[in-house]
Each structure stands twice: as C-alpha cells, then as structure tokens.
Amino acid sequence: MSINLDKKFNWYNNKQTPLLIAGPCSAESKEQVINTAKKLKKENINIYRAGIWKPRTRPGSFEGVGSIGLEWLKEAKQQTGIPVATEVANTYHVDQALKADIDVLWIGARTSVNPFAVQEIADALAGIDIPVMIKNPVNPDLSLWLGAFERFNKVGIKKLAAIHRGFSTHEKTIFRNKPQWQIPIELKKRMPELPIICDPSHIAGNRELLYKISQKAIDLNFNGLMLESHINPNLALSDKNQQVTPKDLKQIIAKIIIRKHKSSDNQYKTQIAELRQQIDNVDEELLNLLCERMNIAEMVGKLKSDNGVTILKTARWREILRNRTQSGEQKGLSKAFVIKLLKAIHQESINRQASVMEPLN
Ligand code: PEP
Ligand code: MN
C-alpha cells in the first residue's frame, strides 16, 4: 500500500542541508530545557526535541517530568522560535501535547511495535494536521514499521517522517541498537516520498560513534539527523553516555561531508555512463551463466530421476559451500555474501531438479 503525503509540506528550511533535530533525551528542568535550546539555536537546528514521558526498559529509572515539561518546551519555543517535538505513547500524551501546542510528535520504538497502541494514537489524531515522525520498532520488522505509517495515513495524517534508531539484539555488538541499514533502505524503496531521519544517538549508545553513523546516514541519502544534546551530559538523567554538549554537536555537524545527489561535470557523466555500461554487460553475463547452471541442474534432476536417486545431497551441498566460500574469499568476496548467493542458487537448483523428477513407477 502506498501512502499519500503532503508534498507541499517542507520538513527542511534549506533543501541543501539535511534536517537537523536536536535536544536532550529528557526534559529535566525548566533551566535545562531553555538553556539547551538557546545554545542549539546557534547551531541552526530545525526542530528542538525533548522527551517528557520516558519509556524505560526497567522500572525505577527516571521516567520523565510529565506534562509540566510541555510548558518548558513551549517557553523554549517562544524564546528561540524553534519548533518543538516530543514523544507520545498514548492518547493522554497526545491530548496534553496538543494542548501545549507541540509542533511535531514522534512515536517511540517501544510504541511502534504495538499496532493497538499505534492505532489508538492515530485515532486520537484523526482530523488534526500535525507532523508525526515514527521510529522503527525495536525489533527488525519492516512490515510493522510500514503498518504504522499506513495507520496514521489512513486517519488523514499526511506529514509523516521515519526515524531510524536501530534494532535491539540479544547478542552484544558495538552498537546499543544495531543499525541494520538494509531495513531503512528497503523502507525508502517501498515509500520513496517518505523522509527518513537517522537517530545516531540511540543506534550508538555512546558519543564516539555519533559522527561515523551520521556520516553514513547522509551518504545513504537520509533526509536528516536527530541527535541528543544536553548542556551537561554527564549529569543527564537518561541516556547520558550518548548525549553531547551543543558545542560537541556543532563539531560533529561541521565534520559531516554533504555529497551531491548528482554531478553535472561532463567527465564524471562519461565515466559513470561507462561504468554502468560495464555493470549492465556483467549482469547479462551473470544471467546467462545462471541460466546455464539451471539447465545443468535439470539434467542432473533427470539423471537422478532415471536412476531412482533422491535430489538433496547434504554432503555435496556442504562441499559446495566450503569450496565456494573459500574461493570467493580469495577473490575478495565476503563469506556472508557468497553464502547468501549460493543458498539462493542452490534453492532454485533444487526446484529445477524437482520439476523434472518423474513419479516413480
Ligand atoms: C528517545 O528518543 O529518547 C527514545 C526514548 O528513543 P527510542 O524510542 O528510539 O528508544
Ligand atoms: Mn534517549
């Protein structure tokens, strides 16, 4: 299902630069909210963020200041002129946020997993013209994420954006939430008009990785970044390891290289056209070879069938896997890629062998 977005709505104040959303993980005090906003104004951020109700994994941690924080956000907006955003996780939050004139709402990763919660929030926003950003669900499930956009779109919300904040994993990785870039890339393919913003803070979980993740997102054509920034990160009541001061945020942003979508340089155009021609030729050769391989597979199937032999030979498959991944690695192809490719080829090969198997008499 495609979604119907408000094409006139401009998330960006300047189309050349990515949208920049920044602010503390949580609103903690009036002073912190306003001082951080004032500092971030100098960095030309487009939207100021702060969590008011914090969905914490375990009870007992700081769960947000509640509705009073909305007043602080409102005041930050009055003093800086920057639109403000906060997370809503139920209809009470929606009601409070709308009363406080919050400009942009976002749905957190622990809410977008739950279609009942998403539907309730969407229903509470029916007929209201407000931008909504939806974080990916904590689990790597693209359909669930797509479904959330569809639910909001169905009640008439046309100003939507996605926030990629990485996915929970049981295994330990260098990331707090594994990026699994293929998922937001697939989302972009399915909903090309939808802006996608990367949230390097929740992917990284620490300050050190913020620049690298931000640069990667921009290189992948993401439309913006959401970064957590706190006037005194070491004293932050939530997510302190990943928050940076507005000054450090400035340095991260300044380092990011913005690449062009295309170039009008003639030499570049000739070179890229030549390389693409080469790719087209190689793809054609690959398809011819795959076709040849499948024809051989059919001959194998026929031979096995004539001799009353079964199709699947696990020892042969293991041997192919071992030998091809080794050969691929020697040629500089990653093992994971060769395995994925071989599995797809082998499956099709089995299908083709099975298709020529004659029923036994
Ligand atoms: C947040 O943005 O502070 C937050 C709670 O994020 P997430 O929903 O991505 O965990
Ligand atoms: Mn946070």
Side-chain angles (χ1 to χ4, degrees):
M1 184 178 146
S2 64
I3 53 169
N4 175 16
L5 295 178
D6 177 351
K7 300 211 173 64
K8 278 187 276 184
F9 179 64
N10 189 1
W11 284 90
Y12 324 96
N13 63 351
N14 172 358
K15 286 234 160 172
Q16 294 306 307
T17 58
L19 180 83
L20 184 55
I21 305 170
C25 177
S26 304
E28 297 168 1
S29 68
K30 184 171 171 179
E31 208 190 3
Q32 170 244 11
V33 170
I34 290 169
N35 290 346
T36 312
K38 280 185 179 161
K39 288 252 159 62
L40 288 171
K41 183 175 168 66
K42 297 200 188 102
E43 311 318 326
N44 290 323
I45 65 165
N46 305 101
I47 298 172
Y48 183 56
R49 65 147 282 158
I52 298 296
W53 302 278
K54 300 303 296 180
R56 306 314 299 273
T57 307
R58 311 274 302 268
S61 351
F62 175 63
E63 294 193 320
V65 291
S67 301
I68 178 80
L70 296 169
E71 294 306 313
W72 307 337
L73 273 179
K74 211 169 158 180
E75 195 163 331
K77 174 163 68 167
Q78 273 159 8
Q79 293 201 24
T80 61
I82 306 170
V84 291
T86 201
E87 172 176 349
V88 288
N90 58 37
T91 54
Y92 170 73
H93 297 165
V94 169
D95 184 55
Q96 295 285 296
L98 292 177
K99 279 191 186 128
D101 282 332
I102 298 296
D103 302 279
V104 178
L105 304 178
W106 86 78
I107 308 301
R110 289 166 196 76
T111 306
S112 60
V113 283
N114 180 349
F116 289 131
V118 170
Q119 191 61 53
E120 272 180 27
I121 298 169
D123 289 340
L125 287 172
I128 295 165
D129 183 25
I130 188 164
V132 177
M133 309 188 290
I134 307 179
K135 289 201 173 199
N136 64 260
V138 280
N139 55 323
D141 186 335
L142 177 63
S143 299
L144 209 47
W145 203 6
L146 289 167
F149 291 105
E150 290 163 353
R151 287 179 198 278
F152 279 94
N153 205 222
K154 265 189 163 171
V155 301
I157 303 283
K158 292 186 176 171
K159 295 169 181 165
L160 290 165
I163 303 178
H164 167 229
R165 51 77 81 197
F167 302 88
S168 299
T169 48
H170 177 61
E171 91 231 50
K172 270 230 157 312
T173 74
I174 56 163
F175 303 104
R176 176 177 175 198
N177 292 293
K178 212 171 153 188
Q180 313 229 50
W181 296 99
Q182 73 280 10
I183 296 177
I185 289 171
E186 186 59 30
L187 175 69
K188 192 77 185 166
K189 286 185 191 156
R190 305 274 193 99
M191 295 180 171
E193 306 289 328
L194 183 73
I196 304 193
I197 292 151
C198 182
D199 171 349
S201 306
H202 291 89
I203 292 176
N206 63 62
R207 292 167 202 138
E208 292 68 38
L209 287 174
L210 294 179
Y211 164 69
K212 255 189 140 166
I213 298 167
S214 304
Q215 183 69 62
K216 175 144 185 178
I218 297 305
D219 289 343
L220 286 171
N221 265 349
F222 275 59
N223 306 88
L225 299 170
M226 182 195 247
L227 286 153
E228 286 186 339
S229 178
H230 189 289
I231 28 164
N232 198 343
N234 290 330
L235 297 181
L237 298 179
S238 61
D239 290 353
K240 69 176 177 191
N241 296 334
Q242 68 195 36
Q243 301 206 60
V244 289
T245 59
K247 207 167 135 214
D248 288 346
L249 182 94
K250 179 185 179 152
Q251 288 189 344
I252 292 171
I253 301 300
K255 264 207 315 198
I256 294 175
I257 300 165
I258 313 278
R259 294 178 229 275
K260 298 175 278 197
H261 291 290
K262 47 184 172 201
S263 164
S264 51
D265 181 82
N266 281 334
Q267 199 183 351
Y268 165 81
K269 280 187 181 165
T270 316
Q271 284 174 347
I272 194 90
E274 274 171 19
L275 290 172
R276 284 185 172 150
Q277 183 63 52
Q278 285 179 33
I279 287 198
D280 291 349
N281 295 343
V282 172
D283 281 355
E284 190 58 27
E285 272 178 55
L286 279 174
L287 291 173
N288 287 336
L289 285 172
L290 284 170
C291 182
E292 201 178 316
R293 196 190 193 283
M294 294 310 156
N295 290 339
I296 300 173
E298 276 190 14
M299 291 197 278
V300 170
K302 189 86 187 55
L303 187 66
K304 285 178 180 168
S305 172
D306 291 347
N307 290 277
V309 175
T310 55
I311 297 177
L312 195 61
K313 294 275 164 283
T314 48
R316 163 82 179 145
W317 165 237
R318 275 203 301 274
E319 174 57 19
I320 290 183
L321 256 189
R322 198 188 55 76
N323 164 302
R324 310 290 196 270
T325 47
Q326 206 172 37
S327 165
E329 272 185 310
Q330 279 164 5
K331 298 182 211 303
L333 296 172
S334 87
K335 193 170 172 178
F337 168 66
V338 175
I339 291 176
K340 221 174 177 175
L341 187 66
L342 277 175
K343 279 189 176 162
I345 293 175
H346 187 241
Q347 185 54 54
E348 181 62 9
S349 207
I350 287 174
N351 295 346
R352 294 287 281 264
Q353 290 189 41
S355 74
V356 296
M357 277 267 156
E358 305 281 349
L360 282 178
N361 293 326

